[in-house]
């Protein structure tokens, strides 16, 4: 469905945050017969409904909103509306068409878009792709799940988008290049289960992309893809890391060495995989990666890692403090832990308890010497899941600030204190940015 197809129809936009506002303004320009906005609950994402957006559509709040949704010809839901919402269930039962702003936008722009999703690494990989394309004289607009609604993006010849599972769920058109970085259980409460989450995530690939690029080293992704045609980055027949001319790890395109692994300033094997995927995308878009390898090496070296993803905080003690607050699942925390293999490591875990299974984390740490500090709400349950592991020391702290103070006592100089909570931030923090701010302030305060 395209925006132009909403002309003369009654449309209800569900959600009053940035996505909802962008949808109202975009739809109003296409002459719907009626347009209304619905917000069923006040939350921190909601913004004042005034000015042009209020002139374009009245805002209906509370329980009255469902009647307006059910009466619409088309409902445009914001990504924050979960598939498991009772109103969504009832709208499906009544066969009311439901779409999203991302789907409306993709229908008109997919042919000039690189779309990147994944349970881990999508932000870094999408940012790398955009950065490297710019360095290769391929200007592009970077947007998506980074705070910029697709319907607010300017016109461009090429787009690079980071897309969440929620944004992928309602797509009926795939981007020209569809990219998946990793796959593991996440956001199950919003999607309805593990199978539903994988289905919604991989819907990015379901509608005729020209090229599919995936992380070929991700085991769940390999299983879910089956024998589907795809460029599988990380394997020898495409971009991968292997011994180079000097015997050290180098990035390669098939048999050709490109540049040393040390050029990439990001730590961790998962970031090696992210760059392999990004280079494979450039190759698929016709960039001569071998011919321009020296320029690519310079661009890779200049890449700045994204905030709150293994972001190191300088500290005079000799201990490295690392903010990885966006690691909201056990699998993401496992990647972060691996990035500091070989150094004394203290990990702070815990946050909103979504009932996740922490057995994979226990199995991952079975042979690891590490200290784990649990904070509310899920921290005690994570610590309990690690009980009995011979080389894992566990402690509990009353909050994040106390955990930082405790970590200073437990971590030797040259070691690492890693905030990789394996849980979301809401409840005790406004959002993940607030959790990062509290962590950074605690590091500064305890250094005095």
């Amino acid at each position: 469905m395209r925006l132009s197809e909403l002309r003369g129809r009654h449309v209800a936009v569900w959600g009053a945050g940035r996505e909802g506002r962008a949808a109202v303004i975009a739809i109003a320009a296409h002459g719907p017969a009626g347009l209304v906005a619905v917000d069923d609950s006040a939350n921190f994402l909601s913004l004042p409904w005034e000015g042009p957006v209020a002139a374009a559509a009245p805002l209906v709040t509370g329980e009255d909103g469902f009647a307006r949704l059910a009466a619409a010809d088309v409902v445009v839901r914001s990504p924050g509306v979960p598939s498991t919402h009772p109103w969504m269930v009832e709208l499906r039962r009544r066969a009311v068409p439901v779409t999203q702003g991302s789907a409306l936008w993709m229908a008109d722009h997919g042919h000039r878009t690189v779309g990147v999703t994944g349970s881990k690494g999508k932000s870094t990989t999408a940012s790398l792709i955009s950065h490297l394309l710019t360095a290769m004289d391929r200007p592009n607009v970077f947007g998506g799940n980074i705070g910029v609604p697709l319907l607010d993006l300017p016109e461009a010849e090429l787009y690079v988008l980071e897309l969440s599972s929620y944004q992928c769920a309602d797509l009926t058109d795939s981007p020209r290049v569809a990219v998946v970085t990793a796959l593991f259980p996440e956001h199950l409460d919003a999607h309805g289960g593990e199978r539903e989450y994988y289905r919604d995530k991989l819907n990015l690939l379901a509608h005729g992309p020209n090229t599919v690029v995936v992380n070929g080293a991700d085991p769940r992704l390999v299983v879910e893809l089956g024998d589907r045609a795809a460029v599988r980055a990380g394997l020898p027949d495409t971009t991968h890391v292997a011994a180079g001319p000097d015997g050290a790890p180098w990035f390669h395109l098939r048999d050709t060495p490109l540049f040393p692994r040390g050029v990439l300033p990001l730590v961790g094997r998962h970031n090696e995989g992210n760059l392999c995927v990004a280079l494979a995308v450039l190759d698929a878009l016709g960039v001569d990666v071998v011919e321009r390898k020296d320029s690519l090496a310079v661009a890779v070296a200049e890449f700045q890692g994204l905030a709150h993803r293994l972001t190191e905080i300088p500290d005079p003690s000799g201990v490295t403090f690392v903010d990885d607050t966006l690691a909201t699942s056990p699998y993401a925390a496992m990647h972060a832990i691996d990035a500091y293999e070989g150094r004394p490591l203290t990990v702070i875990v815990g946050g909103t308890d979504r009932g996740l299974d922490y057995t994979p984390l226990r199995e991952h740490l079975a042979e690891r010497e590490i200290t784990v500090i649990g904070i509310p709400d899920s921290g005690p349950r994570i610590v309990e899941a690690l009980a009995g592991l011979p080389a894992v020391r566990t402690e509990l702290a009353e909050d994040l600030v106390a955990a930082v103070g405790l970590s200073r006592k437990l971590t030797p100089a040259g070691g690492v204190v890693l905030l990789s909570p394996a849980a979301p931030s809401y409840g005790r923090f406004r959002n993940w940015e607030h959790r990062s701010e509290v962590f950074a302030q605690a590091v500064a305060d305890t250094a005095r």
Side-chain angles (χ1 to χ4, degrees):
M1 183 180 295
R2 289 175 160 76
L3 277 167
S4 59
E5 295 174 37
L6 300 180
R7 183 178 301 277
R9 306 178 78 175
H10 291 272
V11 181
V13 172
W14 187 359
R18 287 176 296 195
E19 293 279 351
R21 296 167 71 88
V24 163
I25 295 302
I27 294 166
H30 286 79
L35 181 59
V36 64
V38 173
D39 192 13
D40 61 305
S41 63
N43 59 60
F44 71 91
L45 293 175
S46 298
L47 301 168
W49 200 259
E50 56 193 20
V53 71
L59 178 64
V60 178
T61 59
E63 293 298 322
D64 292 341
F66 178 73
R68 304 302 294 269
L69 295 175
D73 296 323
V74 178
V75 171
V76 180
R77 65 165 168 158
S78 295
V81 176
S83 296
T84 53
H85 193 295
W87 290 4
M88 275 293 296
V89 175
E90 181 60 19
L91 289 172
R92 288 195 197 98
R93 191 188 70 80
R94 299 188 185 194
V96 176
V98 178
T99 187
Q100 286 187 49
S102 54
L104 295 169
W105 184 93
M106 194 69 75
D108 288 321
H109 299 87
H111 63 288
R112 43 195 162 122
T113 297
V114 177
V116 184
T117 195
S119 305
K120 175 74 174 173
K122 62 182 180 294
S123 303
T124 297
T125 303
S127 184
L128 267 168
I129 293 167
S130 177
H131 172 75
L132 296 180
L133 283 170
T134 300
M136 296 296 102
D137 306 314
R138 298 285 295 273
N140 61 91
V141 168
F142 181 41
N145 189 43
I146 57 168
V148 182
L150 272 60
L151 290 171
D152 277 346
L153 294 177
E155 282 298 311
E157 293 184 6
L158 181 63
Y159 298 89
V160 178
L161 304 181
E162 178 203 340
L163 298 170
S164 69
S165 54
Y166 311 121
Q167 290 172 302
C168 292
D170 291 331
L171 294 178
T172 53
D173 299 86
S174 290
R176 172 183 170 186
V177 180
V179 182
V180 188
T181 60
L183 205 60
F184 52 73
E186 180 68 297
H187 307 303
L188 304 188
D189 50 344
H191 291 272
E194 185 171 345
R195 296 308 316 161
E196 291 79 5
Y197 168 69
Y198 293 162
R199 176 202 65 204
D200 289 347
K201 200 75 162 166
L202 297 178
N203 190 46
L204 182 74
L205 316 180
H207 307 285
N210 287 12
T211 306
V212 173
V213 179
V214 302
N215 177 1
D218 184 273
R220 284 182 186 80
L221 192 46
V222 168
V223 170
E224 293 296 324
L225 283 175
D227 58 0
R228 181 187 181 111
V231 178
R232 299 172 188 249
L235 302 184
D237 62 345
T238 177
T239 50
H240 64 285
V241 176
D246 57 0
W250 279 53
F251 288 96
H252 289 67
L253 175 58
R254 292 178 282 277
D255 295 332
T256 304
L258 300 175
F259 44 80
R261 162 62 177 93
V263 167
L264 177 65
L266 306 184
V267 300
R269 286 191 293 273
H270 64 290
N271 279 318
E272 293 177 7
N274 292 338
L275 181 53
C276 285
V277 170
L279 291 170
V281 169
L282 264 66
D283 185 50
L285 289 173
V287 174
D288 192 334
V289 171
V290 173
E291 177 67 25
R292 305 203 64 181
K293 61 183 180 180
D294 293 340
S295 297
L296 280 168
V298 172
V300 168
E302 292 174 344
F303 180 74
Q304 298 295 313
L306 301 176
H308 319 295
R309 298 165 177 86
L310 293 179
T311 302
E312 297 188 355
I313 301 172
D315 189 80
S317 68
V319 172
T320 302
F321 287 85
V322 182
D323 174 10
D324 195 40
T325 192
L326 286 173
T328 58
S329 77
Y331 299 93
M334 287 152 53
H335 282 299
I337 289 166
D338 286 348
Y340 291 95
E341 188 174 5
R343 296 179 65 181
L345 181 61
T346 299
V347 184
I348 300 172
V349 298
T352 305
D353 195 341
R354 297 178 295 170
L356 295 178
D357 178 13
Y358 287 99
T359 303
L361 181 61
R362 176 186 174 85
E363 294 171 349
H364 194 70
L365 299 181
E367 305 297 328
R368 188 78 181 244
E369 185 172 346
I370 191 172
T371 298
V372 177
I373 301 175
I375 61 175
D377 293 317
S378 59
R381 194 165 67 81
I382 298 173
V383 164
E384 182 180 357
L386 302 178
L389 293 178
V392 176
R393 174 177 180 173
T394 58
E395 302 280 351
L396 293 175
E398 62 182 1
D399 56 26
L400 179 54
V401 174
V404 171
L406 180 58
S407 72
R408 283 197 179 274
K409 300 176 183 178
L410 301 178
T411 311
V416 176
V417 175
L418 171 65
L419 172 63
S420 195
S425 57
Y426 42 82
R428 294 179 179 264
F429 301 95
R430 292 190 301 274
N431 47 41
W432 52 266
E433 291 105 332
H434 183 211
R435 180 161 64 183
S436 284
E437 291 168 7
V438 170
F439 179 64
Q441 189 61 53
V443 171
D445 290 345
T446 56
R448 295 170 187 167

